[in-house]
Amino acid sequence: MNPKDRLIVALDVDSEEKAVELVEKLKNDVRFFKVGFELFSSCGPSIIKRIKETDSDIFLDLKFHDIPNTVSKAAVSVARLGVYMFNVHGLGGYEMMKKTAEDVEEEAQRLGIEKPKVIAVTVLTSMDEDSLKKVGINESIKDEVLKLARMAKDAGLDGVVASSVEAKMIRKELGKEFLIITPGVRPAGTAAQDQKRVATPGSAIKDGASFIVVGRPITEAKDPAAAAREIIKEMGG
Ligand code: C5P
């Protein structure tokens, strides 16, 4: 896999104008862009169309978590937008994930498009064992992540979002094909900002990440395209 095809740039901005400006600066070096709550809530689905017009691919990061019927219907709508990948929350459970995977597959076939990859969020990196206990989960983070990742795979999902700390274990347990999307990546020698468990682009890939998600180190750089190229080079190394 080309290192360029492993980088997802997080477009954490609040307007279509800012997002499109970044995509225009980056599109020659970057294939994937992540659209999250902030941008989607500000612009709606039209932002997906705008980004797709630049021949870029999209990871829609809305972490759906609701009853199976509601999530699978939202997921089918997302499939119709033509995103490359989107996610649901693993805590929504096996039935929710299974119905979503099945309905998205059926819709993609009906439309004659490639099925979007369906990814599960396991434990948010902002949670520690104490905050897990407070919501009634007494397992260790490691066990909980692995349990939800296994459940996602059994339900027919394509992969999980996981920190590089967990990536190694998931790769070992769930095999080569299972996708692992790793945020919290910082180029060697740059600030971690609010990320708690950071990895470098090279170490994240070495630990088993299929894709890395990088936001501010690229979007806030003086020259975002040069920052992206440097990260792609680090991944290759
Ligand atoms: O700017 P930065 O590189 O920290 O951005 C990382 C992106 O990945 C953000 O959009 C953040 O919401 C997302 N993310 C994360 N940790 C998770 C899941 C998603 O940092 N566990």
Side-chain angles (χ1 to χ4, degrees):
M1 201 169 163
N2 186 337
K4 179 186 164 177
D5 291 334
R6 292 176 176 272
L7 173 64
I8 303 174
V9 175
L11 294 173
D12 292 327
V13 292
D14 62 1
S15 76
E16 185 161 326
E17 204 184 350
K18 288 182 205 161
V20 170
E21 192 186 321
L22 273 168
V23 172
E24 286 296 333
K25 280 185 189 156
L26 289 165
K27 67 180 186 190
N28 294 331
D29 298 288
V30 173
R31 174 177 162 201
F32 294 102
F33 293 95
K34 181 170 90 67
V35 174
F37 290 135
E38 185 186 12
L39 185 56
F40 198 79
S41 303
S42 306
C43 310
S46 72
I47 189 64
I48 307 294
K49 221 172 131 201
R50 280 296 297 277
I51 298 172
K52 276 172 62 84
E53 279 165 9
T54 66
D55 275 337
S56 303
D57 285 310
I58 293 152
F59 170 26
L60 188 58
D61 178 18
L62 298 179
K63 304 181 180 69
F64 293 137
H65 186 177
D66 208 312
I67 58 173
N69 183 61
T70 304
V71 168
S72 73
K73 289 218 162 92
V76 164
S77 294
V78 159
R80 290 185 191 136
L81 293 175
V83 303
Y84 177 84
M85 181 154 86
F86 71 94
N87 56 9
V88 302
H89 207 299
L91 281 178
Y94 178 79
E95 294 303 332
M96 184 200 85
M97 290 194 273
K98 187 162 187 286
K99 182 162 173 52
T100 299
E102 286 170 359
D103 290 358
V104 164
E105 168 103 62
E106 199 182 302
E107 183 67 5
Q109 270 180 24
R110 194 182 69 79
L111 295 171
I113 58 169
E114 196 177 324
K115 183 189 83 70
K117 314 268 184 245
V118 189
I119 304 298
V121 172
T122 55
V123 177
L124 294 171
T125 43
S126 53
M127 305 280 283
D128 55 19
E129 273 165 26
D130 194 41
S131 37
L132 272 191
K133 273 206 183 79
K134 285 189 179 132
V135 295
I137 298 170
N138 292 313
E139 312 238 24
S140 68
I141 289 192
K142 200 175 142 221
D143 289 348
E144 181 67 11
V145 166
L146 200 55
K147 188 174 76 187
L148 289 172
R150 271 209 191 98
M151 192 192 290
K153 193 178 179 193
D154 290 346
L157 264 61
D158 300 289
V160 287
V161 179
S163 81
S164 67
V165 177
E166 293 130 17
K168 224 180 199 163
M169 155 186 91
I170 296 169
R171 179 60 68 224
K172 190 166 152 244
E173 296 288 327
L174 297 182
K176 274 200 306 204
E177 305 300 322
F178 200 58
L179 298 177
I180 302 174
I181 322 314
T182 299
V185 175
R186 292 290 177 267
T190 61
Q193 293 155 314
D194 54 351
Q195 292 286 8
K196 300 237 161 51
R197 286 173 282 168
V198 297
T200 65
S203 68
I205 296 296
K206 213 171 105 205
D207 286 342
S210 318
F211 295 92
I212 61 169
V213 177
V214 185
R216 290 160 292 175
I218 292 176
T219 58
E220 290 179 1
K222 258 201 197 108
D223 182 346
R229 285 196 294 271
E230 195 51 41
I231 286 172
I232 291 166
K233 205 167 100 192
E234 272 193 61
M235 270 194 280

Coordinates of all heavy atoms in Angstrom, one line a residue, residues 5 21 26 41 58 62 67 90 97 104 106 113 130 140 144 159 167 183 210 213 236:
D5 N -1.7 6.6 0.6 CA -3.1 6.1 0.7 C -3.4 5.7 2.2 O -4.4 5.0 2.4 CB -3.3 4.9 -0.2 CG -3.4 5.4 -1.7 OD1 -3.7 6.6 -1.9 OD2 -3.1 4.6 -2.6
E21 N -10.7 25.3 1.2 CA -9.3 25.9 1.1 C -8.2 24.9 1.4 O -7.2 24.8 0.7 CB -9.3 27.2 2.0 CG -8.1 28.1 1.7 CD -8.0 29.2 2.7 OE1 -9.0 29.7 3.1 OE2 -6.8 29.5 3.2
L26 N -4.2 20.7 -0.3 CA -3.6 19.4 0.0 C -3.9 18.3 -1.1 O -3.3 17.3 -1.0 CB -4.2 18.9 1.3 CG -3.7 19.7 2.6 CD1 -4.6 19.4 3.8 CD2 -2.3 19.2 2.9
S41 N -21.9 19.5 11.0 CA -23.0 20.2 11.7 C -23.0 21.6 11.1 O -24.1 22.3 11.1 CB -22.8 20.3 13.2 OG -22.7 19.0 13.7
I58 N -13.5 10.4 1.3 CA -14.0 10.9 2.6 C -14.2 9.8 3.7 O -14.8 8.8 3.4 CB -15.2 11.8 2.4 CG1 -14.9 13.0 1.6 CG2 -15.8 12.2 3.8 CD1 -16.0 13.5 0.8
L62 N -18.9 10.4 12.2 CA -20.1 10.8 13.0 C -20.4 9.9 14.1 O -21.4 10.1 14.9 CB -21.3 11.1 12.1 CG -21.1 12.2 11.0 CD1 -22.4 12.3 10.2 CD2 -20.8 13.5 11.6
I67 N -30.5 3.0 18.2 CA -31.1 1.6 18.0 C -30.8 1.2 16.6 O -30.5 2.0 15.7 CB -32.6 1.6 18.2 CG1 -33.3 2.6 17.3 CG2 -32.9 1.9 19.7 CD1 -34.9 2.5 17.4
G90 N -19.2 1.2 18.7 CA -19.3 -0.2 19.1 C -20.2 -0.4 20.2 O -20.8 -1.5 20.3
M97 N -24.6 -3.1 14.8 CA -23.5 -3.1 13.8 C -23.8 -4.1 12.7 O -23.6 -3.8 11.5 CB -22.2 -3.5 14.5 CG -21.6 -2.5 15.4 SD -19.9 -2.7 15.9 CE -20.2 -3.8 17.4
V104 N -26.0 -1.5 4.5 CA -25.1 -0.7 3.7 C -24.6 -1.5 2.5 O -24.6 -1.0 1.4 CB -23.9 -0.2 4.6 CG1 -22.8 0.3 3.7 CG2 -24.4 0.9 5.5
E106 N -26.2 -4.0 1.1 CA -27.4 -4.1 0.1 C -27.6 -2.8 -0.7 O -27.8 -2.9 -1.9 CB -28.6 -4.4 1.0 CG -29.7 -5.0 0.2 CD -30.9 -5.2 1.1 OE1 -30.8 -5.9 2.2 OE2 -32.0 -4.6 0.8
I113 N -22.3 0.8 -6.4 CA -21.1 1.6 -6.0 C -20.3 0.7 -5.0 O -20.8 -0.3 -4.5 CB -21.5 2.9 -5.2 CG1 -22.4 2.6 -4.0 CG2 -22.1 3.9 -6.2 CD1 -22.5 3.8 -3.1
D130 N -10.9 4.8 35.1 CA -11.8 5.4 36.1 C -13.1 5.9 35.4 O -14.2 5.7 35.9 CB -11.0 6.6 36.7 CG -11.7 7.0 38.0 OD1 -12.2 6.2 38.7 OD2 -11.8 8.3 38.2
S140 N -10.7 -3.7 31.9 CA -9.6 -2.8 31.6 C -9.8 -2.2 30.2 O -10.6 -2.8 29.4 CB -8.3 -3.6 31.6 OG -8.3 -4.5 30.5
E144 N -11.7 -4.2 27.1 CA -12.9 -3.6 26.5 C -12.7 -3.3 25.0 O -13.6 -3.6 24.2 CB -13.2 -2.3 27.3 CG -14.5 -1.6 26.8 CD -15.8 -2.4 27.1 OE1 -15.8 -3.4 27.8 OE2 -16.8 -1.9 26.5
G159 N -13.5 -2.6 10.3 CA -12.3 -2.3 11.1 C -12.8 -1.4 12.3 O -13.9 -1.3 12.6
A167 N -3.3 -0.8 18.8 CA -3.3 -1.3 17.4 C -2.5 -2.6 17.3 O -3.0 -3.5 16.7 CB -2.6 -0.2 16.5
P183 N -5.8 7.6 15.3 CA -5.5 9.1 15.5 C -4.5 9.3 16.5 O -3.9 8.3 17.0 CB -6.9 9.6 15.9 CG -7.6 8.4 16.5 CD -6.9 7.1 16.1
S210 N -3.7 0.7 9.7 CA -3.9 0.7 8.3 C -3.9 2.1 7.8 O -3.4 2.4 6.7 CB -5.2 0.1 7.9 OG -5.5 -1.0 8.7
V213 N -4.8 9.1 11.2 CA -5.6 10.4 11.1 C -4.7 11.5 11.7 O -4.3 11.4 12.9 CB -6.9 10.3 11.9 CG1 -7.7 11.6 11.9 CG2 -7.8 9.1 11.4
G236 N 6.6 6.1 5.2 CA 7.3 5.2 4.3 C 8.5 4.6 5.0 O 8.8 3.4 4.9

